[in-house]
Amino acid sequence: MKRTAIDLADGRELIYFDERDDAVRDQPDRRDLPPPPPASQLRYDPLTDEWVAVAVHRQTRTFLPPANECPLDPSVGDRLTEVPAPDYDVVVFENRFPSLSGRVAEEPGEITPFTPVRPGLGRCEVVCFTSDHNASFASLPPRRVRTVLDALADRTEVLGELPGVEQIFCFENRGVEIGVTLHHPHGQIYAYPFVTPRTRALLAAARRHAERTGGNLYADVLAAERATGDRVVAENEHWTAFVPAAARWPFEVHVAPHRVVPDIPALSDSERDAFGPLYLDLLRRFDGLFDMPMPYISAWHQAPVRIDRELGHLHLQLFSIRRAKDKLKYLAGSESGMGVFINDISPERAADLLRAA
């Protein structure tokens, strides 16, 4: 894989990840762009011990443009986009409308004595999986999945070295039902200046398990799922895809390496190669469930950058809000108000349907 970094017209960084060593990436960004916005504001909620980002500039971000105006397509002729080259394999660039960034204009003032405020320091990046606007991740060849995985490993390492960054989150949103604003096949990377609430909860449970048993909680859960096999959807030498016994979403699958590793950079070459075929098979099963493109979120759970890394176990969480061909799972009162999920499909039934898809 060849890595080439350039600066866009407004100073944001863009990186090409090419599968050919002879790829030349010397095309300049010919657009006239305003400066990137300053960092958002983080406000602390003392009632939940959580940080909330306020990023008002994101109200003006690009929203579902027509295909011939997609900013993630390559630049061709006078049609100039976020990617200056006329083609590409995988490309990563700083989000033009970031929730977090390193461009801190000024320290925010106090809201109340109970609500500390600080700059939304961090970084948000866009990951384009292919130059083909009409493709999907499921249509990529295994070699391209390996390139994407290597790019995520690169970014996880680099972003983890930025001052103040505590956690790296790589993910893909797919489908208007999920809330995507661009149809081009792409994912995102968030470099947070704190450990997220979901990860803190996972680590707290893992810490209690380690103190009680000496084991790694996720590894022990994975071993139990592989032993019963009731909810295993697919597996190979290095990875297992299974529906969690307490799945929150109608269709939810975890894809986990058999070896305990904290993050994507820690995966071996053989583990990276083995991920693609299994994951592509899983995505095609999702699309085959109702014979239509499945909306989903694909979320990589990595250990924090600086703390509790020994408690983590890398895994991918793939889930959809679609519960039937003509029905979606909405987060209503119990889920949104109290955080208590109610699943309409049993995890065992979901595993059966995915195995048959």
Side-chain angles (χ1 to χ4, degrees):
M1 183 182 70
K2 181 179 181 181
R3 183 186 189 281
T4 307
I6 67 167
D7 287 334
L8 296 176
D10 56 2
R12 290 175 295 130
E13 184 180 27
L14 179 145
I15 307 162
Y16 295 100
F17 294 90
D18 285 298
E19 294 163 358
R20 306 185 333 271
D21 289 337
D22 61 349
V24 177
R25 300 302 185 188
D26 57 1
Q27 298 87 356
D29 183 2
R30 295 181 284 128
R31 297 172 297 170
D32 183 14
L33 297 177
S40 62
Q41 189 179 90
L42 294 180
R43 299 188 179 189
Y44 178 73
D45 182 351
L47 301 179
T48 61
D49 188 27
E50 295 176 4
W51 289 94
V52 176
V54 179
V56 296
H57 61 271
R58 285 177 56 77
Q59 273 283 64
T60 61
R61 67 188 186 275
T62 308
F63 183 78
L64 296 176
N68 62 352
E69 296 179 14
C70 177
L72 306 187
D73 288 352
S75 294
V76 178
D78 292 331
R79 185 187 166 205
L80 305 179
T81 71
E82 289 281 69
V83 187
D87 61 37
Y88 62 82
D89 293 336
V90 174
V91 69
V92 178
F93 58 87
E94 287 184 77
N95 197 321
R96 190 175 174 185
F97 305 95
S99 303
L100 304 163
S101 81
R103 298 175 175 88
V104 178
E106 60 183 20
E107 290 291 332
E110 183 182 79
I111 302 297
T112 78
F114 300 101
T115 309
V117 178
R118 60 175 169 141
L121 188 65
R123 181 140 151 163
C124 292
E125 298 185 337
V126 176
V127 185
C128 296
F129 306 136
T130 170
S131 61
D132 183 356
H133 180 87
N134 297 312
S136 68
F137 202 106
S139 70
L140 301 178
R143 181 185 180 189
R144 177 57 52 81
V145 179
R146 170 64 195 262
T147 305
V148 171
L149 206 56
D150 287 343
L152 298 183
D154 174 281
R155 304 315 300 151
T156 295
E157 287 190 308
V158 172
L159 297 179
E161 295 176 355
L162 295 178
V165 168
E166 299 295 335
Q167 184 176 349
I168 310 299
F169 177 45
C170 309
F171 63 100
E172 179 194 3
N173 298 329
R174 185 208 190 189
V176 292
E177 301 91 337
I178 292 296
V180 299
T181 56
L182 296 172
H183 286 301
H184 193 110
H186 73 287
Q188 299 180 64
I189 305 173
Y190 276 31
Y192 294 105
F194 50 78
V195 178
T196 62
R198 171 71 171 171
T199 299
R200 283 196 293 161
L202 294 173
L203 291 172
R207 186 177 300 107
R208 291 191 296 269
H209 180 80
E211 291 171 351
R212 186 173 64 252
T213 70
N216 179 284
L217 176 57
Y218 196 95
D220 290 347
V221 168
L222 174 61
E225 291 290 352
R226 295 182 68 198
T228 66
D230 294 343
R231 288 166 296 277
V232 172
V233 177
E235 61 185 332
N236 60 27
E237 179 185 359
H238 295 288
W239 298 83
T240 292
F242 66 96
V243 178
R248 288 165 167 75
W249 304 95
F251 294 96
E252 176 181 352
V253 177
H254 286 200
V255 185
H258 298 160
R259 188 170 62 96
V260 177
V261 295
D263 51 23
I264 300 172
L267 293 171
S268 67
D269 281 338
S270 57
E271 288 166 333
R272 297 186 192 193
D273 286 338
F275 171 77
L278 185 143
Y279 183 54
L280 292 173
D281 173 70
L282 185 59
L283 289 179
R284 290 161 189 159
R285 290 177 186 275
F286 263 57
D287 285 347
L289 275 172
F290 304 115
D291 216 17
M292 60 192 299
M294 191 72 143
Y296 64 73
I297 292 175
S298 179
W300 282 103
H301 291 264
Q302 305 193 87
V305 172
R306 306 175 203 285
I307 63 169
D308 294 332
R309 289 179 60 80
E310 73 285 354
L311 296 174
H313 189 305
L314 174 71
H315 62 280
L316 179 78
Q317 180 190 20
L318 175 70
F319 62 93
S320 178
I321 61 172
R322 186 171 295 285
R323 58 188 175 92
K325 192 177 183 71
D326 59 347
K327 296 183 178 72
L328 298 178
K329 166 67 177 178
Y330 293 103
L331 298 189
S334 184
E335 292 89 354
S336 295
M338 287 290 106
V340 178
F341 277 70
I342 302 170
N343 197 345
D344 304 289
I345 300 175
S346 77
E348 292 74 25
R349 177 59 177 161
D352 286 341
L353 291 171
L354 284 166
R355 284 192 292 258

